[in-house]
Amino acid sequence: MPNVFELELRRPPDLYLQAGHAIRLTHQAYQRYYSPISAPDDGRLRLCIRIINPQGLASYLSTAEIGSSIGICGPFGYFNFSPSSRSPVFIATDTGVAPFVSMVRSGVAGFTMLQGARSEKELFYRDLFESHARKYVPCICDTPNDDIEQCDRYHRKLVDTLKEHIEPGQYDFYLCGWQKMIKSVTNIVDTLYPHSHVYTEVFY
Ligand SMILES: Cc1cc2nc3c(=O)[nH]c(=O)nc-3n(C[C@H](O)[C@H](O)[C@H](O)COP(=O)(O)OP(=O)(O)OC[C@H]3O[C@@H](n4cnc5c(N)ncnc54)[C@H](O)[C@@H]3O)c2cc1C
């Protein structure tokens, strides 16, 4: 059964990060990317990690002894917040909330947040988002696998939730998490919110 945990790492002194950047962790033959949930000026790097593969790096990290060493490098990516005249809309699935947590902890507020999760208890950091968002919208639906029916159901639910809560206009959409969600939402944005800007970060 997959589970989720937070990991705290000592931050390498020469690692410069902006909220939304990813880092790469390496251990033996493994390497995986993670987006810190900590503010960029936090002395510690904090991560929110879902274990998918029992033999994977996430699984090792969940059981590593305090004081263990791990390779850290970065920053990677361009998923950083750029203020503009358009209203920001954040859409995340599962641990895809991570870069948004860092953005909020670095002072970003007044956004609309649509958070996709498998259950109420997996709405990670909901309190943080609710207290900083202009509008917070949870969207509970099993994260689908490759089953076409499940994908369609998820797609429809996201479309309905977007239509219901985000009125026509131009926005800056920030999408993070499941690549199929990102594709579906990008298509919806093109149709329903033309001339909006879309920023994406694919986790899985
Ligand atoms: C830029 C970037 C940032 C990332 N940031 C995070 C983060 O902050 N937190 C985090 O938990 N993961 C993050 N990931 C995913 C992470 O790198 C690992 O894939 C994840 O931790 C699973 O690791 P694993 O070793 O257990 O399994 P892996 O062997 O890496 O993954 C097994 C399979 O599960 C899929 N998968 C990975 N994550 C999920 C998920 N959440 N739900 C469903 N399927 C998934 C993978 O695509 C792969 O097919 C990020 C990935 C990228 C590219």
Side-chain angles (χ1 to χ4, degrees):
M1 183 70 184
N3 56 359
V4 178
F5 64 99
E6 276 195 11
L7 179 72
E8 187 179 287
L9 300 168
R10 189 175 303 147
R11 182 199 176 105
D14 54 351
L15 180 66
Y16 168 76
L17 289 176
Q18 282 179 265
H21 274 141
I23 56 169
R24 185 173 64 216
L25 300 187
T26 52
H27 174 71
Q28 297 176 347
Y30 297 114
Q31 55 175 37
R32 295 282 183 276
Y33 290 87
Y34 293 99
S35 292
I37 54 170
S38 36
D41 57 359
D42 194 322
R44 301 270 160 173
L45 280 174
R46 295 169 214 275
L47 308 175
C48 170
I49 301 179
R50 180 179 288 283
I51 301 171
I52 303 292
N53 173 3
Q55 268 80 48
L57 180 62
S59 182
Y60 162 76
L61 293 170
S62 71
T63 55
E65 294 287 327
I66 293 173
S68 306
S69 294
I70 183 113
I72 303 176
C73 64
F76 293 98
Y78 301 94
F79 195 67
N80 311 114
F81 183 69
S82 308
S84 81
S85 55
R86 294 170 296 277
S87 298
V89 177
F90 296 168
I91 305 182
T93 54
D94 196 51
T95 51
V97 291
F100 300 123
V101 175
S102 182
M103 288 177 196
V104 172
R105 288 177 170 164
S106 72
V108 176
F111 49 88
T112 296
M113 175 91 200
L114 199 167
Q115 182 173 9
R118 298 166 203 203
S119 64
E120 287 277 332
K121 72 175 172 44
E122 293 211 345
L123 290 169
F124 308 123
Y125 311 102
R126 178 180 187 157
D127 291 350
L128 182 79
F129 292 130
E130 279 187 320
S131 59
H132 290 81
R134 189 177 63 79
K135 184 171 185 174
Y136 173 84
V137 183
C139 181
I140 306 293
C141 198
D142 284 349
T143 303
N145 50 29
D146 284 335
D147 180 277
I148 288 174
E149 258 182 48
Q150 267 189 305
C151 285
D152 282 352
R153 191 161 55 86
Y154 193 85
H155 175 87
R156 277 197 303 274
K157 184 149 187 179
L158 269 175
V159 174
D160 291 347
T161 309
L162 261 179
K163 278 187 191 162
E164 189 183 339
H165 293 278
I166 302 176
E167 61 196 32
Q170 290 179 20
Y171 299 92
D172 283 339
F173 286 93
Y174 291 80
L175 316 175
C176 184
W178 184 47
Q179 60 182 317
K180 288 181 184 168
M181 172 281 282
I182 289 171
K183 197 168 168 223
S184 304
V185 174
T186 304
N187 292 337
I188 295 156
V189 167
D190 282 347
T191 318
L192 297 180
Y193 309 103
H195 309 298
S196 292
H197 290 206
V198 180
Y199 303 88
T200 64
E201 183 79 299
V202 174
F203 272 19
Y204 55 94

